[in-house]
Amino acid sequence: MKSDLRGKDMVTVQEWEKEELESALDVADHLKREWAREEWQHHDSLTGRSLFMLFYNTSTRTRNSFEAGINQLGGYPHIMTPDQLQLEHGESARATSKILSRYGHGFAVRVLGAAVDFEYPKGTEIVREYQEGADVPIFNMQCDKYHPFQTMADLQTVREKKNRIEDLNFTISYAYAPEVRRPASVPHSSILGFSKMGANVTLAHPEGVELDPDIVDAAEDNSDKYGGDFDIVHDMEEGFEDADVVYPKHWVSTKVGERGVEAEKEIHDQNQHWIADEEMMSNAKDDAIYMHPLPAKRGYEATEEVMEGPQSVIYDQAENRLHAQKGVMALTMGGRGF
Ligand code: CP
């Protein structure tokens, strides 16, 4: 029996019950199978329904997978940037989402990084302001704290490749990049989502690029509740050891705003050996999969051989953005058929 998810927001996977996440992943799998059929035609579960999508930052995967996804469900995407709205005129986020709720059936927003001067967690606070005003489901398309739809796609990908999530050894690791621009939203959402699904989560990073302690505490609580282990290590090899899934990526500490970019960069430059190359991969299980949400700094975070190698599932992850988001939209935006 699927949960009734009509009207539910997705700001973070932590605000969804495990069974609710599983329902959305089941629908995502169903829609993916439909999409793969040669006689595929668009679904009519969201016919006549609009999704308003507001981007403070650029995007390849998120924008195009949401846009294609709502179309494939019979609905319509409205793509907006802040300068096209009356925000500069002083209209609040709360009023904006309240008004757009009168015109459509969902409101999605991406806001992080330079758009909020790296002032963590200002991006999340802005998403919450839109959420307060909205009378339709709010979707967080990435803020400085969370990237829930990346994690939904990642959960779907791991279920496909390993047939389960529970009890798998899942390692999310810091990886070096010469710029200090990537937020911690993917590792945050990964440790929340995979701990909730019962994986054994290992978080690997150098000293100085810690995640938000509140998120780490929440992930540890998930592990206690759902039966997995949760470990933090400060050595990449140790993190990769015996892993079924490795997910090495760059992130900046949540302190970058107060430290300043130059001070943050000094910490990262001391950790250039945190790279997923073939030698590092050999610490994981032979059949381990390599994940990255993209875009990546190739040659820094991971070598070309690893990114394009037989263990890599990066393009499946990118594809599953489409299917996972369709699963959530179909269940929450009040459509028919699920
Ligand atoms: N992974 C991801 O969110 O990609 P985009 O920034 O291209 O949307």
Side-chain angles (χ1 to χ4, degrees):
M1 177 88 166
K2 291 193 171 62
S3 319
D4 185 354
L5 293 168
R6 277 173 296 185
K8 192 170 175 74
D9 301 332
M10 184 171 266
V11 173
T12 158
V13 291
Q14 190 64 4
E15 291 168 355
W16 283 46
E17 298 297 331
K18 181 180 184 188
E19 296 70 27
E20 293 174 332
L21 295 174
E22 284 169 343
S23 289
L25 293 170
D26 290 345
V27 173
D29 288 343
H30 169 80
L31 291 168
K32 184 171 182 176
R33 282 192 296 275
E34 269 195 358
W35 169 247
R37 287 184 0 221
E38 240 172 67
E39 65 275 24
W40 182 84
Q41 292 182 342
H42 83 71
H43 210 273
D44 64 356
S45 59
L46 295 181
T47 298
R49 288 166 193 264
S50 290
L51 175 67
F52 293 95
M53 300 166 62
L54 177 56
F55 285 94
Y56 287 72
N57 310 83
T58 53
S59 164
T60 295
R61 280 143 291 268
T62 306
R63 173 184 162 161
N64 291 296
S65 54
F66 262 109
E67 190 170 0
I70 184 80
N71 263 307
Q72 290 166 22
L73 294 171
Y76 186 80
H78 301 246
I79 311 285
M80 305 169 291
T81 51
D83 56 300
Q84 295 167 327
L85 299 174
Q86 298 289 23
L87 295 165
E88 279 182 22
H89 194 73
E91 195 151 63
S92 68
R94 200 176 286 104
T96 301
S97 58
K98 187 167 265 314
I99 289 159
L100 294 179
S101 294
R102 302 282 176 105
Y103 305 151
H105 305 85
F107 184 94
V109 58
R110 165 174 282 198
V111 52
L112 67 148
V116 289
D117 296 327
F118 293 98
E119 276 181 43
Y120 181 88
K122 182 91 179 114
T124 317
E125 288 162 10
I126 292 173
V127 173
R128 293 294 189 193
E129 283 177 39
Y130 284 112
Q131 185 181 28
E132 278 170 30
D135 299 313
V136 294
I138 283 279
F139 302 138
N140 179 0
M141 297 191 293
Q142 190 177 18
C143 63
D144 40 12
K145 198 170 193 174
Y146 306 118
H147 199 354
F149 289 97
Q150 182 64 53
T151 294
M152 291 302 288
D154 296 340
L155 292 170
Q156 185 181 15
T157 306
V158 171
R159 278 202 336 179
E160 280 172 359
K161 301 294 177 190
K162 296 290 182 187
N163 295 315
R164 69 184 208 283
I165 298 173
E166 208 166 279
D167 250 358
L168 282 178
N169 296 336
F170 174 87
T171 294
I172 181 101
S173 172
Y174 169 88
Y176 173 73
E179 303 153 351
V180 285
R181 290 170 62 180
R182 296 280 159 204
S185 52
V186 169
H188 283 168
S189 290
S190 293
I191 64 171
L192 292 173
F194 281 88
S195 60
K196 188 167 273 201
M197 301 300 276
N200 300 315
V201 175
T202 298
L203 169 63
H205 63 75
E207 307 274 1
V209 285
E210 282 75 16
L211 299 183
D212 183 329
D214 290 343
I215 301 279
V216 175
D217 285 351
E220 284 175 335
D221 289 349
N222 285 348
S223 292
D224 289 344
K225 184 170 175 187
Y226 295 105
D229 295 329
F230 190 93
D231 293 306
I232 301 177
V233 299
H234 298 299
D235 180 89
M236 196 174 189
E237 278 179 26
E238 189 183 346
F240 271 47
E241 205 171 300
D242 210 28
D244 296 292
V245 181
V246 292
Y247 201 137
K249 83 169 294 298
H250 180 62
W251 70 74
V252 292
S253 97
T254 54
K255 295 191 170 66
V256 60
E258 54 192 87
R259 273 180 191 156
V261 167
E262 284 311 311
E264 179 80 16
K265 189 165 164 26
E266 273 179 35
I267 295 171
H268 292 264
D269 284 347
Q270 290 160 16
N271 292 293
Q272 299 188 27
H273 53 291
W274 286 69
I275 175 170
D277 55 15
E278 285 173 325
E279 196 183 335
M280 187 62 71
M281 287 298 294
S282 70
N283 292 291
K285 287 183 179 166
D286 289 345
D287 63 349
I289 55 171
Y290 162 82
M291 303 183 80
H292 195 288
L294 304 178
K297 265 298 184 211
R298 289 174 185 246
Y300 293 97
E301 293 179 81
T303 58
E304 192 68 12
E305 290 74 23
V306 168
M307 294 202 73
E308 297 296 334
Q311 289 168 280
S312 174
V313 298
I314 57 176
Y315 298 110
D316 302 290
Q317 288 173 264
E319 176 186 340
N320 283 340
R321 296 295 305 274
L322 173 72
H323 309 300
Q325 287 156 197
K326 283 167 71 178
V328 172
M329 286 191 287
L331 287 172
T332 58
M333 285 177 63
R336 295 172 288 123
F338 295 102

